[in-house]
Structures are given as structure tokens and as C-alpha cells.
Amino acid sequence: MNSLPEARVVTDPDVIDSYARDRTFVAPGKPLGVVLAASRDDVVTTLKWATEHRVPVVPRGAGTGLAGAAVAGDGVIVLSLARMTAIKELSPADEIAVVEPGVITADLDRAAREHGLMYAPDPSSYEISTIGGNLATNAGGLRCVKYGVTRDSTLGLEVVLADGRILNTGRRTMKGVTGYDLTGLFVGSEGTLGVITSATVRLRRAPAVPPATFAAEFGSPRDAGAAVSAIMAAGCQPSLMELLDRTTLKAIDDWRNIGLEDATQAMLIGQSDAADGQAMAERMQRICLDNGASFVAVSSTPEEAEELIGVRRLAYGAKERMGACLVEDVCVPRSKLAEMIIAIEEAAARHGVLIATAAHAGDGNLHPVFIFDHGTLEPPAEVWAAADEVFTTALRLGGTLTGEHGVGLLKRRWLAMEAGPVAAEVQNGIKAVFDPLGILNPGKAI
Amino acid sequence: MNSLPEARVVTDPDVIDSYARDRTFVAPGKPLGVVLAASRDDVVTTLKWATEHRVPVVPRGAGTGLAGAAVAGDGVIVLSLARMTAIKELSPADEIAVVEPGVITADLDRAAREHGLMYAPDPSSYEISTIGGNLATNAGGLRCVKYGVTRDSTLGLEVVLADGRILNTGRRTMKGVTGYDLTGLFVGSEGTLGVITSATVRLRRAPAVPPATFAAEFGSPRDAGAAVSAIMAAGCQPSLMELLDRTTLKAIDDWRNIGLEDATQAMLIGQSDAADGQAMAERMQRICLDNGASFVAVSSTPEEAEELIGVRRLAYGAKERMGACLVEDVCVPRSKLAEMIIAIEEAAARHGVLIATAAHAGDGNLHPVFIFDHGTLEPPAEVWAAADEVFTTALRLGGTLTGEHGVGLLKRRWLAMEAGPVAAEVQNGIKAVFDPLGILNPGKAI
């Protein structure tokens, strides 16, 4: 591995192992080494070396992915971008920032807020995940119901291609149609087309007031789903709208005692960050009552808002207490939300599997979490059988296999069901244009 | 041309000629014929025939393009999608529609409004242009300052590839990250990668109240530009914000006598379609006054709003009266708006060319219209010299050659300045994946 940027290369097996994993259970192989890139030049050097020696490269940010896209196999080089943490520019006048891929997403958001702006995409991992990883997976989050996903905030990229050439895509302007949309092509491509070394992202005005929050309890997922549809149809424009199913609520209640009623089968928590947010939260509250909610609360102070949204924040921790978690990520047309939740409950019952679901309800994006015994290294067969049923149902309802986590390794076996053979051929063709030797994160995404 | 869908083929030379042009001055060649496709099968048949006989195909919608992308050369087949006008589905619950490419954009918007929804992208041509054409150019419009461009409203596509294979891209859901973003790749590709035969588009809630409108006159473009920046920085979220330069205002005044003051060098017209639109328009009015506006009006009725916005609607007609028009389309970072207007004025003076500019100011997207003698079939040399200066300045300011019209034929000679050789190689590589024989709209876009 000489000619690799020497000071950046790690070959200690324990360190390598820690850089070969993500947040899935997928066991990594034994990579040759890890490059801790500190600059674009380090990335260029690494990729030129990899091309010359035909060695696969697995790029990674913070390794918080949930689909296995950053899991590294035998004999590869892991290319970590986590040390490229510069916010190179932040222009309040143009509402853009230019950042290196290792910037922690929440750090960019905080830097923007010093100027009355925000970086909108907020995956649940945003305090620990990087912009580079967010770009690689086209990460979503809670606010995307109002502000869109990572792609909607990405204007341009600097990318190092597999052979070390540098490609600039996109622009600094709000609009632009010069040539094909290469920026959009890289966002969500999971490091299989090139390594992003800089991104020009769009910032937005931060809301002037703290968000107003409501929470509502429902006796059935169907009522909760109807309330979601009615809220969106009324044009309330929630800045966040999360749904928790009975199993999730039970897990939270067992841990922190939130006084869960027996009759409560689903909870909806929503926010408005608009200037008239308080009125809007009250309007959403009324819509929930009109759709059968048994209990509804609206915050009147930021502290109360934090308390209501706090329940949502407990969801994942409550599930992790109960066992190992396979976090899934289907997305359906919004009108099918309740149907999807019921289908998940049926799959859980049929296969004897514990599935707790939280959803970005306004987007129809559900995260069924399959909980299984910590003792098993991999999810047992019944978990996969239930997951298969969930995926098949999502597709039947006009949905997709993954709303925001990506395909990685975990979803590849279902990919053909959604995309079909022509799409597969075309995607392989595109991959070959950028990476003819197939050294960039092989076996992922497509 | 037997084996082409016979009933759909037109070979009358006059009719062919009318299908070989767009809204530019570019002279077409002599196509072999025109196929008036009425179904996806017609498109498949046409493309299979074209592949077999190695005949180039120029797809087109309504031919309202301003970059020459639909201009057809010698020996090609023109493939018109204008007869595929079905709105196949409109789902208020999921806020989506599935449409054929020949649907007139405003017709889709009207159909959506029957359900309290709207189709947001509104290029100035939206009463005569088609969704297919809008997709091919990634069309923008007045409302995109708030709602984004065509790509931001496109969820999925059905595309016939050059060899007649059918590719489905994207999804019906609000989010999705399965595989590469092929949908985004087709939007804006000007018919060079495939022929779109169906699109799943996102609808949005239509505003509940008519928009409130303000108009402001400024003594200099710099003051107007400062007002634009201040309005955006204040988070006013205009749903439209147009800037007219002195030459445009003079042309309108000469035609319709709007009482233009000598001191007025620029006019800003803005709207808010928010629930608190009236208050927001008044706030924007105050910001204009704070930035040196000499006269400001705010509508208090929908009729007054129509009157104020009516001035903007006269802009293009007023210019067409004065001569032949080359409509250009640069986009700069918003903070550079005034600098760009001044550079355009300087280029006009230096080259002795009449340039009248209207801008989608909130996006930094300017349309300098180069007006020349009707007697010349093509723009004279000094127009191209001035245009070259305008393009060069836009790029120097961190801008782009085209915000929303596309590259077509007209911008190709400047493309390398913006995109660079690596991007060109990559784009040619992508083109070859989809269209290895190079029969789809050759010589356009890239």
C-alpha cells in the first residue's frame, strides 16, 4: 500500500474492524486497511492507487447507516471521509453553504442558525451522521414532510471518480438546467459512482418562532391514518408529523411510564413551525378530534412542546432495550398509511415476530423495527419471512422498498421486485460509465 | 417508412415544416416525416423502426421551446407527443397525478384545482406548452421561487428507450431511494435519453385565498436587487417575485402607457399566496421602501392584484412589437442579481444592442431579451457578441448559462465553459448507455 497517503493509512486490525461496520448487524470482512482522508488530494491518491491495483474501495462517513452500504468486505480499502470537516463557505445572502463530506449534519445546521438559516434535512442520526453519508443515502428525516429530502437541498458536488479524475456537478444557483442532472445521480448512489469531496447545499430561513406541537391518541391505526390525510388535505403544512404504533408506545411505556391507556392503538405527534404555528397546531388538534382521537394535547410553551415530542425521541431507545433491531424503511402513498400499519401488525402476528413501527406519517414513510433476540447474530428466518411480507405489501400498495435508508446490502434481494430488468440494465450501464473496473463500493445499491 | 404506425404518419412538406420548428429563429432542415403518436405503442413502434433504420428521432411537445431543442434537421423523424393528452389518474388523497406527455400544463393545473390542488410549475408558456416539453427542459416559471421547478414536482416516469424497451423510473410515493435517480436524469435531458410516455407528478394544496400583490419602483437596479435580497432574508416567502428593467418598462409604456416616471429604472412585482398574504405583501412593501423604492402599491382586492401583475404579463408582447427576440436565460446567485443587470446594460451599450431584461428575481434567474431587426433571419453578430459577454459574466458571478430553458442547440457553444471536459465525457457516456446508436435528438443538450 505504499504510494497511498502514508500518514493517513491505518492497518491495526482492531481499528480496521471498527471502520468496517455500520449500524446494521451485517458482519464485515477483513479490509486491507483504512485511509483517513484529510483532503481531496488524499481521496485522489487513494482512488488512483485502487484503480492501479484493482482494489475495491468502500467510502464511509460516520457509519450510522441502516442498510449495510458502508459495511466493508475482505481485501478492500475503507476510505473514511470523517476527517474532512470544513465548512468552507456559508453565504447568508445566497442561502448556501459549501461543505466537506465529514461535516456532522447537526453542526452545519447549527452554523446556519447563527445567521437565521437552517440546513433542513434531519435524519434521526443527524447529531452523529455526516453530510457525506446523508448525500450517499439521500437521507430524509422528520422535517422532510415540509422541506424535502437531502437531494432537495443539494445544488452541486465535487466528486472524485474511480480513476482519480475530478468532476464538478451542478451549480451555486437556485435553478439550472445545463446538461444532465449529475448532482441528482450522485445523491443516493451510496458511494458506487464516485467519492463526494465537497457539496454546495441550500440553506433555508430558520423559523422565527419555536414550533407549536400537538399529540393525539387514537383507538385504531385507521383513525390515525385518516387524521393524517385530513391534516394534509386541509393544507396545515406540518413541519413534522410522526406516528407511533401500539407496540412502540407499549415499549416506551414499559421503559418510562407515559401512562399509556389500554385503548390507545396509535399516537400522532405533529408540529408547525409557521408564523401562525400555534393556530395551526390547534387546527390539527381539531382535525384529530374530528377523526376519532380520544386525547389531544397542544403545547402552549416550548417546554411543553419538547415534552410532547420527547415521546417520539424515546421510541428507538425503548426498542433497543428489548432486543436486537432490524430497522426497516418502506414508503407508501399517504392514503395507504393505515393499511400498511395493519398489514405490518398482521405480518407480526402471523410470523410470531415483534414489530414496532414509527412513521414519518406525512410522507407515508414507515420504519417497522423487527426486534429479535440479542443472542442471534443475524435476524432469524421468521424475521426475514415477516420482512418479506412487509416489503411485498408495500410494493402492492404502490410503495417503495426504501424511503430514506437506501438499498445497501440489505435490500438487494428485493430490488428486482421493484425496479425490473430494464432499470437494472440501465443502472449497471451507468455504473460502468463512472466505474468501469467496478472498484467503488461493489455489491451495493443496485 | 412502412411498419411505422401508418395512420399516424404525416408526409405533407408544409405540415412537416410546421412540426420542425420551435419558438427560436433556428431554421429547421427537411425531416422525412412526422409521427403523431396517440399511444405508447406508437412511440415503441416508431423507435423500433428508427433503431432498425438508424434514423434520428426528434421528440417534441408543443414546440414552445426557446433553445432549439425541438428543431428538427434533415432526414429525421419528428415524433410528436402532442396527441397523448390523457390525465390518466388524479388522486387528491395522495396528491399525485399520472399524465401523458401531451397534456397542456395549465390543463393539468385546472384539473387539480377542481380538487383544491395545483400543479405548481408554471413556465410563462404554460397555457400552450405540454408537460412532456416541461419535463424535457425541466421548465421553471414564476411560482418556482416558492414551489421549485418541474423536477421538484416529478415522482416517476415511464420512458420508451431508443430501442423500444420500456423503462419505469421513480415511484408514486413522496420519498424513495431505490437505485439511482433515473427520474431526475430524464428531467431536463431534452429528449436525448428516451421518450417520456407517462409521468407521475406531485400536486400541492392550492392556496386558500387569492394572492396579495405589491409593485415597487426603484431608481436603480442596485436598490431593487437589495430589496429582493432583503425580502428573501426576512423570510417573506413570496410565491412570485419578478423584476423588470428600464428597457422592458419603456417598451411596455410605449405600447400601453403605464405612466412610467423618468426616474424609474426598475420595477419589482411580488406576490404572497400564504394565508397571511396581505400582511406579507405589506411587509414586502415596507422592505422596498426601506431599500429606496420611490413608489409602492399593494393590492387590496383580487382585481387590483391582477392589475399590478398585468404589467409583468405585458413584458414579452411589448418586446415582440419592437423586433425579433432572442430570449436568453442566465441564472446567478441571488446576491448577484443587480450586478448581473448592470452588466447586461453595459453589454447592451458596448455592442449597440437593445436588451430588455425581466427576471424571476427571487431565484436570480434573468431573461435578457436581445431585440434585433425582423429583417435579419438570424441574430446579427453584435447580438451574439453581447450574448457572449452576458454568458461569460453570469459564469464569472458563479451563475449558470440556463436557469430553465435548456441548452438545446443555442447554448451548446458555451457549454464547455460551464461544465468542463470531465462532465462532458461523463454525459456522453450516459447518453451512450441509453442511446448507443445516437438516434435520439442528436446534437442537443450535451
Side-chain angles (χ1 to χ4, degrees), chain B residues 43-45 47-48 51 159-167:
Chain B
V43 175
V44 170
T45 306
L47 291 177
K48 282 187 171 165
T51 287
V159 180
V160 181
L161 299 181
D163 58 8
R165 283 181 302 165
I166 291 160
L167 170 68

Side-chain angles (χ1 to χ4, degrees), chain A residues 156-315:
Chain A
L157 298 172
E158 176 191 82
V159 180
V160 181
L161 299 181
D163 58 9
R165 283 180 303 164
I166 290 160
L167 170 69
N168 287 288
T169 76
R171 48 188 207 278
R172 292 168 62 89
T173 53
M174 287 298 137
K175 292 158 77 177
V177 288
T178 305
Y180 301 147
D181 181 15
L182 301 178
T183 306
L185 195 60
F186 277 99
V187 178
S189 66
E190 300 183 3
T192 63
L193 299 179
V195 178
I196 295 168
T197 48
S198 179
T200 303
V201 299
R202 180 180 177 177
L203 306 174
R204 289 164 205 266
R205 305 310 308 173
V209 293
T213 306
F214 78 90
E217 295 175 16
F218 293 88
S220 78
R222 224 172 265 289
D223 287 350
V228 169
S229 290
I231 285 169
M232 299 304 283
C236 295
Q237 282 205 292
S239 53
L240 169 163
M241 191 157 57
E242 300 290 301
L243 191 150
L244 306 177
D245 77 344
R246 172 78 197 174
T247 309
T248 301
L249 292 168
K250 183 76 172 49
I252 297 170
D253 194 55
D254 287 348
W255 186 27
R256 294 286 176 91
N257 188 13
I258 54 169
L260 181 67
E261 300 284 338
D262 283 347
T264 301
Q265 293 294 317
M267 182 184 282
L268 198 60
I269 303 174
Q271 289 192 327
S272 170
D273 65 3
D276 60 344
Q278 192 66 32
M280 211 45 97
E282 284 163 17
R283 189 163 166 215
M284 293 194 271
Q285 173 190 39
R286 280 196 303 279
I287 293 173
C288 288
L289 287 171
D290 290 346
N291 283 277
S294 55
F295 170 82
V296 188
V298 176
S299 66
S300 51
T301 64
E303 293 70 32
E304 283 176 24
E306 267 309 297
E307 205 172 304
L308 292 177
I309 195 76
V311 175
R312 170 67 180 86
R313 298 227 170 90
L314 294 172

Side-chain angles (χ1 to χ4, degrees), chain A residues 91-96 137-141 144-146 149 151-152 161 165-168 170-182 184-185 187-190 192-193 202 205 229 232-237 275-276 280 329 331-336 360 362-365 367 397-407 415 418-419 421-431 433-434 444-446, chain B residues 91-96 137-141 144-146 149 151-152 161 165-168 170-182 184-185 187-190 192-193 202 205 229 232-237 275-276 280 329 331-336 360 362-365 367 397-407 415 418-419 421-431 433-434 444-446:
Chain A
S91 165
D94 292 326
E95 298 180 358
I96 61 173
T137 55
N138 190 18
C144 36
V145 63
K146 182 165 179 181
V149 294
R151 182 174 294 127
D152 300 311
L161 299 181
R165 283 180 303 164
I166 290 160
L167 170 69
N168 287 288
R171 48 188 207 278
R172 292 168 62 89
T173 53
M174 287 298 137
K175 292 158 77 177
V177 288
T178 305
Y180 301 147
D181 181 15
L182 301 178
L185 195 60
V187 178
S189 66
E190 300 183 3
T192 63
L193 299 179
R202 180 180 177 177
R205 305 310 308 173
S229 290
M232 299 304 283
C236 295
Q237 282 205 292
D276 60 344
M280 211 45 97
D329 174 44
C331 191
V332 293
R334 195 191 298 134
S335 63
K336 308 293 187 196
H360 306 311
D363 293 320
N365 185 193
H367 295 310
L397 294 176
T400 175
L401 290 168
T402 171
E404 56 182 18
H405 292 171
V407 170
L415 210 48
E418 179 169 343
V422 178
E425 276 175 50
V426 162
Q427 304 208 55
N428 285 324
I430 290 172
K431 165 80 172 166
V433 169
F434 289 90
K444 313 286 175 61
I446 58 170
Chain B
S91 165
D94 292 326
E95 298 180 0
I96 61 172
T137 55
N138 190 19
C144 37
V145 62
K146 182 164 178 182
V149 293
R151 181 174 293 126
D152 301 310
L161 299 181
R165 283 181 302 165
I166 291 160
L167 170 68
N168 287 287
R171 48 189 208 277
R172 293 168 60 89
T173 53
M174 287 297 136
K175 293 159 75 177
V177 287
T178 305
Y180 301 147
D181 181 14
L182 301 178
L185 194 60
V187 178
S189 66
E190 300 184 2
T192 63
L193 300 178
R202 179 179 179 177
R205 303 312 306 174
S229 290
M232 299 304 284
C236 295
Q237 282 207 292
D276 59 345
M280 211 46 95
D329 174 45
C331 191
V332 294
R334 194 190 300 134
S335 64
K336 308 292 186 195
H360 307 312
D363 292 320
N365 185 192
H367 295 309
L397 295 175
T400 176
L401 291 169
T402 172
E404 56 182 18
H405 292 172
V407 170
L415 209 48
E418 179 169 344
V422 178
E425 275 175 51
V426 162
Q427 303 208 55
N428 285 324
I430 291 172
K431 165 79 173 169
V433 169
F434 289 90
K444 312 287 175 60
I446 59 169

Side-chain angles (χ1 to χ4, degrees), chain B residues 247-305:
Chain B
T247 310
T248 301
L249 292 168
K250 183 77 173 49
I252 296 170
D253 195 53
D254 288 347
W255 186 26
R256 295 286 177 90
N257 188 12
I258 54 169
L260 182 67
E261 301 283 340
D262 283 347
T264 301
Q265 293 294 317
M267 181 184 283
L268 198 60
I269 304 174
Q271 290 192 326
S272 170
D273 65 1
D276 59 345
Q278 191 66 33
M280 211 46 95
E282 284 161 19
R283 191 164 165 211
M284 293 192 272
Q285 175 190 35
R286 279 196 304 278
I287 293 172
C288 287
L289 288 171
D290 291 346
N291 282 277
S294 56
F295 169 83
V296 188
V298 175
S299 66
S300 52
T301 65
E303 293 71 34
E304 283 176 26

Side-chain angles (χ1 to χ4, degrees), chain A residues 5-164:
Chain A
E6 207 175 328
R8 318 292 184 205
V9 179
V10 179
T11 51
D12 177 306
D14 289 343
V15 180
I16 289 177
D17 187 69
S18 72
Y19 276 96
R21 299 169 182 275
D22 68 1
R23 290 276 168 131
T24 58
F25 51 81
V26 182
K30 293 204 181 307
L32 292 180
V34 179
V35 176
L36 301 173
S39 69
R40 187 184 75 181
D41 284 354
D42 289 346
V43 175
V44 170
T45 306
T46 305
L47 290 177
K48 282 187 171 165
W49 182 90
T51 287
E52 190 187 336
H53 298 276
R54 306 286 197 272
V55 173
V57 173
V58 179
R60 68 183 278 123
T64 61
L66 294 166
V71 172
D74 289 332
V76 309
I77 291 288
V78 174
L79 176 56
S80 168
L81 288 308
R83 296 203 177 173
M84 293 180 64
T85 58
I87 296 178
K88 296 190 286 183
E89 182 188 344
L90 199 158
S91 165
D94 292 326
E95 298 180 358
I96 61 173
V98 183
V99 297
E100 288 188 336
V103 172
I104 296 291
T105 308
D107 287 344
L108 172 59
D109 189 40
R110 276 187 285 267
R113 283 183 194 261
E114 287 177 25
H115 304 275
L117 298 164
M118 67 175 180
Y119 177 68
D122 63 338
S124 296
S125 59
Y126 83 136
E127 285 286 2
I128 50 172
S129 62
T130 65
I131 293 288
N134 289 185
L135 288 163
T137 55
N138 190 18
L142 279 62
R143 289 196 286 244
C144 36
V145 63
K146 182 165 179 181
Y147 298 104
V149 294
T150 298
R151 182 174 294 127
D152 300 311
S153 286
T154 311
L155 298 174
L157 298 172
E158 176 191 82
V159 180
V160 181
L161 299 181
D163 58 9

